[in-house]
Amino acid sequence: MAPKSSDSQQSLLQSEPTNGSIDPAFHLIRILPYSFLRAPRLRLKLPSLSLPSPMTVFSLVLLTYFMVVSGIVYDVIVEPPGIGSTQDPVTGTVRPIVFMSGRVNGQYIIEGLSSGFMFVLGGVGIILLDLALDKNRAKSVKVSYASAGVSSIVLAYVMSMLFIRIKIPAYLR
Amino acid sequence: MPPQTMSAKTDATIGVNGTAKSTSNQAPPPMALPANLKSDLLNKLSLKSFKLKTKQQELLLRVSILFLVYVLAFITRLFSVLRYESMIHEFDPYFNYRTTLFLTEKGFYEFWNWFDYESWYPLGRIVGGTLYPGLMVTAALIYWGLRFLRFAVHIREVCVLTAPFFASNTTLVAYFFGKEIWDSSAGLVAAALIAICPGYISRSVAGSYDNEGVAIFALLLTFYLFVKAVNTGSLTWSLASAFGYFYMVSAWGGYVFIINLIPLYVLVLLITGRYSVRLYIAYNCMYVLGMLLAMQIRFVGFQHVQSGEHMAAMGVFFLMQVFYFLDWVKYLLSDKRLFETFLRITVTTTVGLAAVALGVGTASGYISPWTGRFYSLLDPTYAKDHIPIIASVSEHQPTAWSSFMFDFHILLFLFPAGLYFCFKRLTDATIFIVMYGLTSMYFAGVMVRLILVATPAVCLISAIAVSATVKNLAQLLRTKSKVTQGGSSKAASGSKASSKALLDQSQPFQRNGAIALLLGVFYLLSKYATHCTWVTSEAYSSPSIVLAARGAHGNKVIFDDYREAYFWLQQNTPTDAKVMSWWDYGYQITAMANRTVIVDNNTWNNTHIATVGRAMSSYEDEAYEIMRELDVGYVLVVFGGVTGYSSDDINKFLWMVRIGGGVFPVIKEPDYLVNGEYRVDKGAAPKMLNCLMYKLCYYRFGELMTEYGKPPGFDRARGVEIGNKDIKLEHLEEAFTTSNWIVRIYKVKPPNNRW
């Protein structure tokens, strides 16, 4: 279904009677308004839809993954506060609590987003490692990709372990 | 490479065997005869080891890895059997066990036509038409098979160990699936990852005799067979996938996921221009035969042509016919422009007809709309506002990040990386696994329970990431080597690095870097294994019917109150007594105490459950009337105030109010709250302090000292002293309270004689 510009449309109108179109709608339109009206000269172009490249789709997918893993559905339904707070019994000051403690399936919004970011960072680190091993790049670029990848993975893993240890004090004991 | 040079090379490196071989040809050593025999034995072993070709060595390695993974998947699920005993866990498995028992005792036809009058008291339940028989039939077949071989097993043992057995089979299917999508090394990693992944273990531990244990095996099998059918275009594989789908339909209600994912996948393939005759054959065979087979299950019935959830599959089926037709017309016509016009007309007419058909079907009511359970997956806020029963189940809560971390650990990092590798190499199979992974991850985000469905996809995609990364790193180690070594593609290449001659200055740096990274990968995977074993041992191996806690001196204290109460019921009540309790405990009461219940976990009748909820939340007089109407003889409540057990009926009470209030507007939730807060102490609402549930739970509790330094009647689960300590019961009397006060049974007194 290729888009038709106005010129081809006009030429089609002129050459159709000789070809014999099989489109009944076309014949109907030809008879009813356009036997006495002149067809307008349009400069319309139907937008051509083309499939996006795989890497574009992949970046959208990565964004969706970040949102799901941060617990966005939990945030929308349960509506927890962005960050928890507790009041110091002695001085009366309000101290923020970042990690909701007490159960595994509960979170505040900010803690969810930061953990989700760490997971995506780890994934991106592995992707950078693979890019670093691609043969067709300059050596300095490869080295910087490799070091960025390794540091991302290490940082993401260490931070995730730290987060889970804060959230569940009995972890691995 | 010829075996001769191989054998010479291996001989040089296996130093011990080489020297042993050389000494045996000379004069015998001063040692006695056994040493000679020992060297001969070593000879034989070394001769055997280098007679194998590389391919055979690889096959041996793969088979032994798969065997170890198979055994590992089985034994990691046995924690609770070793700690407590071989018993059925949780609530739902008790119903499955009872039906399997019935099946093995009475035979298949009795089972298929069974009407159970022992549950949902005045109504009864058509069991044959309202369950998924796959699990029971599978366990019964295994039982009959073992009995045929003269192993005298009890059906309970078979039921307890069915889930670990099928988990092991799932690892094999995962291996073949990985081989189909990427290559055999990715398949091996996938099998290893899925064997210990906590997301799968949570529902397939030994004793968890539930539909999901078998259903995940059927799910992965169906997907594997379908992808194989699409890749090969063979009729056999398509028919096999239809039978796999039939097994899945018979096993679990989650088959709706398959019948929607596969059409979505076909649609994506059509959009990306990957239409082929293989796809046509695979989808047509699978859809038609699968649909016909699915209609054999009474519970499913004609839903494949009547329910809105299955319409996508039908729509794609007709779309495939249109594609095939257009392909044929294109082949016949030689004129391109004529074909384009024809294409436009056909597509417009088809879409128009489909819309009209769908509209007429939905408007006339023939096509039923999406049921609440599945609609709440698309619109997660729906259940909270409209269907409190679905919203109250703890497994249906949305997922927080820590649940993901708990169940997946490292796989959360590997999943996006695996997606990247799949997008780099797009084939029909990788498109499938990407779609499966994305849709299942979204649903896992909506409902905690569905992390189980996402686990195979996450394991497979992570396996692709691990396999591709390790292959890349191992490639670095082998770049300039002259002699190619055989063997597997795993991280064993580190040992060969030391014997290489170095050609470049950057080589040692690259090689050392690659070795370090491989060690890092190994470290991460070992941390994954540690995490999985810890989670399995601590979090997912509790039977739920037996509670354990740490005593004051750190010793383990076991509360077996549930079984104590059910056994008391079985021994001390008349056989036709009816027991009223909240629906959570229905299955356990019918299975273990063998008494009729009013409502149970099937929750098919909301009004009946609301009646029970209304009775629990009314004053004693109104509740007594409802109980007399329902012929109730005994009431059972669960109370955690003495032990600090937090899943008791007082904590579930608000759900009883909400569900009861949903049907009977007499019950209003704000009556039980104070300033929006739910309290049981002195400041609680008067309706709360005098309702039936409160009285039954706290009867005589006011005299009990539960903790040092606290007043009597201190509720340890809520952490407050209760408000109403002086409770008098008029129409009920206490029949039994278990040793830790967890289960309390009350007898309903007959009405007073007229004066």
Side-chain angles (χ1 to χ4, degrees):
Chain A
M1 266 187 281
K4 291 184 172 38
S5 64
S6 52
D7 299 311
S8 61
Q9 197 172 32
Q10 277 213 313
S11 61
L12 202 65
L13 263 174
Q14 290 154 15
S15 63
E16 254 333 297
T18 52
N19 278 356
S21 170
I22 56 170
D23 191 350
F26 174 70
H27 286 288
L28 204 64
I29 298 277
R30 196 161 58 107
I31 296 176
L32 202 51
Y34 291 117
S35 53
F36 45 89
L37 290 177
R38 186 177 59 97
R41 301 170 73 109
L42 295 170
R43 267 189 249 270
L44 283 179
K45 256 197 171 147
L46 280 173
S48 61
L49 299 160
S50 62
L51 289 175
S53 82
M55 284 307 143
T56 323
V57 179
F58 175 67
S59 45
L60 281 174
V61 160
L62 205 61
L63 186 67
T64 320
Y65 176 73
F66 167 66
M67 294 199 311
V68 169
V69 147
S70 311
I72 200 170
V73 184
Y74 182 92
D75 294 338
V76 166
I77 294 187
V78 177
E79 289 170 18
I83 197 165
S85 59
T86 175
Q87 204 173 27
D88 195 45
V90 176
T91 56
T93 52
V94 177
R95 274 187 289 121
I97 297 184
V98 184
F99 289 95
M100 187 191 279
S101 51
R103 49 209 180 107
V104 176
N105 198 37
Q107 68 174 37
Y108 296 124
I109 299 185
I110 291 193
E111 99 182 66
L113 288 172
S114 44
S115 313
F117 174 69
M118 285 304 149
F119 299 146
V120 172
L121 189 66
V124 164
I126 303 180
I127 296 174
L128 284 174
L129 264 187
D130 176 67
L131 285 176
L133 297 170
D134 186 9
K135 293 202 193 329
N136 304 328
R137 281 185 225 270
K139 188 147 187 311
S140 61
V141 176
K142 278 164 67 167
V143 167
S144 57
Y145 272 178
S147 50
V150 171
S151 53
S152 298
I153 298 177
V154 168
L155 185 71
Y157 178 70
V158 166
M159 291 304 285
S160 302
M161 284 295 114
L162 183 68
F163 285 168
I164 197 91
R165 252 178 249 278
I166 297 177
K167 182 150 179 109
I168 305 173
Y171 182 64
L172 276 183
R173 230 167 281 147
Chain B
M1 83 209 76
Q4 305 313 96
T5 44
M6 246 281 288
S7 58
K9 197 126 187 19
T10 330
D11 204 15
T13 47
I14 308 177
V16 173
N17 290 339
T19 46
K21 191 178 168 195
S22 54
T23 47
S24 63
N25 290 336
Q26 293 157 10
M31 293 288 289
L33 214 51
N36 223 350
L37 277 176
K38 202 163 134 195
S39 57
D40 272 341
L41 206 62
L42 282 168
N43 263 353
K44 280 206 181 60
L45 287 173
S46 62
L47 272 169
K48 251 195 209 134
S49 69
F50 62 69
K51 271 229 167 81
L52 285 176
K53 300 196 191 62
T54 318
K55 267 208 167 11
Q56 289 172 322
Q57 278 186 351
E58 190 187 348
L59 184 67
L60 178 68
L61 207 59
R62 264 192 287 149
V63 169
S64 50
I65 289 177
L66 276 177
F67 176 70
L68 287 175
V69 164
Y70 193 90
V71 171
L72 176 69
F74 192 84
I75 60 180
T76 191
R77 288 161 164 82
L78 294 181
F79 273 104
S80 78
V81 174
L82 295 172
R83 279 180 190 161
Y84 304 99
E85 62 181 89
S86 154
M87 66 177 141
I88 312 266
H89 298 185
E90 300 262 319
F91 302 110
D92 280 357
Y94 273 98
F95 172 70
N96 298 332
Y97 173 60
R98 183 166 161 249
T99 46
T100 316
L101 203 57
F102 190 88
L103 172 59
T104 51
E105 283 170 0
K106 303 263 179 26
F108 187 69
Y109 283 104
E110 285 296 315
F111 168 74
W112 204 231
N113 298 315
W114 185 19
F115 179 81
D116 182 21
Y117 51 83
E118 282 196 353
S119 54
W120 297 90
Y121 170 55
L123 308 167
R125 178 187 172 178
I126 309 170
V127 175
T130 56
L131 59 52
Y132 288 106
L135 175 70
M136 297 87 183
V137 172
T138 310
L141 283 175
I142 297 177
Y143 172 74
W144 284 325
L146 287 175
R147 284 254 152 185
F148 178 74
L149 296 173
R150 302 294 178 258
F151 287 112
V153 292
H154 190 274
I155 183 69
R156 192 190 62 238
E157 317 302 338
V158 173
C159 290
V160 164
L161 293 176
T162 298
F165 173 60
F166 273 90
S168 302
N169 296 343
T170 308
T171 61
L172 287 183
V173 178
Y175 164 69
F176 286 111
F177 203 179
K179 200 160 102 140
E180 191 65 30
I181 296 176
W182 201 256
D183 60 22
S184 66
S185 37
L188 287 173
V189 179
L193 288 179
I194 206 173
I196 50 176
C197 189
Y200 185 24
I201 289 188
S202 62
R203 304 293 296 203
S204 69
V205 82
S208 171
Y209 181 56
D210 210 353
N211 300 64
E212 287 98 345
V214 172
I216 295 297
F217 169 73
L219 181 92
L220 207 56
L221 186 70
T222 311
F223 283 151
Y224 164 62
L225 292 171
F226 185 70
V227 170
K228 188 98 185 162
V230 172
N231 271 347
T232 56
S234 128
L235 198 60
T236 322
W237 288 109
S238 320
L239 296 179
S241 73
F243 278 98
Y245 177 62
F246 171 58
Y247 188 40
M248 177 71 188
V249 170
S250 72
W252 195 33
Y255 74 89
V256 176
F257 180 63
I258 298 190
I259 203 65
N260 281 308
L261 179 65
I262 289 190
L264 195 65
Y265 165 63
V266 169
L267 202 62
V268 166
L269 282 187
L270 293 178
I271 291 178
T272 54
R274 286 173 184 266
Y275 169 78
S276 59
V277 178
R278 297 175 281 119
L279 179 67
Y280 181 76
I281 295 176
Y283 184 66
N284 277 341
C285 295
M286 195 248 179
Y287 178 64
V288 173
L289 192 64
M291 181 170 70
L292 289 174
L293 286 172
M295 293 185 190
Q296 310 307 311
I297 309 290
R298 281 168 64 192
F299 196 21
V300 174
F302 289 116
Q303 275 184 10
H304 275 71
V305 290
Q306 281 180 342
S307 155
E309 295 142 7
H310 303 75
M311 286 299 114
M314 189 183 284
V316 171
F317 174 67
F318 287 121
L319 188 67
M320 287 287 279
Q321 311 311 315
V322 170
F323 256 79
Y324 191 80
F325 175 64
L326 287 173
D327 226 18
W328 178 59
V329 168
K330 191 173 185 174
Y331 167 71
L332 285 181
L333 284 180
S334 39
D335 188 353
K336 188 166 182 281
R337 236 181 315 155
L338 204 59
F339 174 68
E340 276 171 11
T341 336
F342 181 73
L343 181 71
R344 258 184 299 136
I345 304 173
T346 320
V347 171
T348 331
T349 356
T350 322
V351 170
L353 273 177
V356 165
L358 197 67
V360 167
T362 319
S364 69
Y366 185 73
I367 298 180
S368 57
W370 282 59
T371 57
R373 267 176 73 197
F374 295 114
Y375 186 69
S376 63
L377 287 179
L378 294 182
D379 176 12
T381 58
Y382 179 72
K384 188 167 83 155
D385 300 328
H386 298 267
I387 318 175
I389 274 199
I390 296 182
S392 74
V393 184
S394 65
E395 305 171 311
H396 292 183
Q397 304 308 312
T399 324
W401 74 269
S402 39
S403 293
F404 278 122
M405 185 71 185
F406 222 57
D407 281 341
F408 288 137
H409 200 245
I410 295 206
L411 304 187
L412 286 174
F413 300 146
L414 296 171
F415 183 72
L419 285 179
Y420 164 76
F421 284 111
C422 285
F423 272 98
K424 245 174 68 162
R425 197 211 285 190
L426 277 180
T427 62
D428 289 350
T430 49
I431 291 184
F432 179 79
I433 198 68
V434 164
M435 291 202 58
Y436 176 27
L438 290 176
T439 47
S440 57
M441 274 303 268
Y442 166 67
F443 290 130
V446 173
M447 212 187 254
V448 177
R449 183 183 185 185
L450 293 179
I451 286 187
L452 171 75
V453 177
T455 302
V458 170
C459 286
L460 280 165
I461 296 183
S462 312
I464 292 178
V466 170
S467 175
T469 309
V470 169
K471 268 214 165 92
N472 280 344
L473 292 174
Q475 202 73 22
L476 269 188
L477 286 174
R478 294 205 207 125
T479 34
K480 300 289 187 197
S481 56
K482 288 289 177 202
V483 182
T484 46
Q485 302 283 335
S488 74
S489 55
K490 292 288 190 151
S493 39
S495 59
K496 310 228 173 24
S498 48
S499 56
K500 289 292 162 298
L502 307 173
L503 295 172
D504 220 65
Q505 199 60 305
S506 64
Q507 281 295 308
F509 179 70
Q510 237 183 13
R511 196 162 290 128
N512 289 341
I515 296 175
L517 287 177
L518 280 173
L519 283 176
V521 169
F522 179 68
Y523 171 75
L524 282 181
L525 289 174
S526 62
K527 293 304 272 184
Y528 170 70
T530 317
H531 166 92
C532 292
T533 318
W534 181 84
V535 167
T536 311
S537 158
E538 295 299 312
Y540 290 143
S541 297
S542 94
S544 303
I545 193 167
V546 170
L547 311 165
R550 294 246 164 254
H553 306 285
N555 55 323
K556 196 165 193 159
V557 179
I558 304 234
F559 301 125
D560 207 359
D561 287 41
Y562 281 101
R563 295 197 292 175
E564 185 187 342
Y566 300 140
F567 194 59
W568 183 92
L569 261 184
Q570 194 187 26
Q571 302 263 307
N572 296 298
T573 57
T575 40
D576 62 348
K578 329 270 184 294
V579 181
M580 180 170 94
S581 71
W582 191 234
W583 59 261
D584 289 8
Y585 317 107
Y587 281 156
Q588 286 182 343
I589 296 176
T590 33
M592 277 195 271
N594 210 11
R595 294 286 176 270
T596 311
V597 288
I598 306 291
V599 287
D600 69 15
N601 307 56
N602 191 28
T603 65
W604 65 271
N605 192 331
N606 194 29
T607 313
H608 217 52
I609 297 182
T611 313
V612 171
R614 178 184 175 189
M616 294 294 194
S617 33
S618 315
Y619 293 123
E620 197 185 340
D621 298 322
E622 299 158 19
Y624 183 64
E625 286 200 16
I626 299 177
M627 289 194 283
R628 291 295 303 160
E629 270 178 15
L630 290 174
D631 246 357
V632 174
Y634 290 86
V635 181
L636 186 147
V637 294
V638 169
F639 172 59
V642 175
T643 47
Y645 176 51
S646 55
S647 307
D648 64 351
D649 280 355
I650 293 284
N651 277 348
K652 290 180 197 163
F653 182 62
L654 275 184
W655 286 111
M656 299 185 200
V657 170
R658 283 179 197 138
I659 295 175
V663 177
F664 302 103
V666 197
I667 310 285
K668 295 188 253 303
E669 192 181 339
D671 287 346
Y672 300 86
L673 304 172
V674 175
N675 293 334
E677 211 188 310
Y678 179 58
R679 299 167 66 165
V680 295
D681 54 2
K682 274 212 167 21
K687 184 111 198 233
M688 178 73 207
L689 290 176
N690 289 305
C691 67
L692 184 70
M693 176 57 71
Y694 189 94
K695 283 183 160 182
L696 294 183
C697 284
Y698 291 121
Y699 184 66
R700 289 192 308 115
F701 184 64
E703 308 145 15
L704 196 67
M705 280 281 284
T706 51
E707 239 181 80
Y708 290 133
K710 295 279 195 306
F714 181 74
D715 184 344
R716 290 178 75 189
R718 259 65 54 182
V720 294
E721 183 188 351
I722 61 169
N724 185 2
K725 292 191 193 172
D726 185 24
I727 296 176
K728 301 235 182 319
L729 288 174
E730 194 188 328
H731 299 286
L732 296 116
E733 62 183 7
E734 187 181 0
F736 182 67
T737 300
T738 56
S739 45
N740 295 301
W741 287 55
I742 293 187
V743 183
R744 311 193 66 180
I745 303 179
Y746 292 83
K747 185 170 158 149
V748 177
K749 293 200 281 208
N752 290 327
N753 285 328
R754 306 215 183 186
W755 52 94

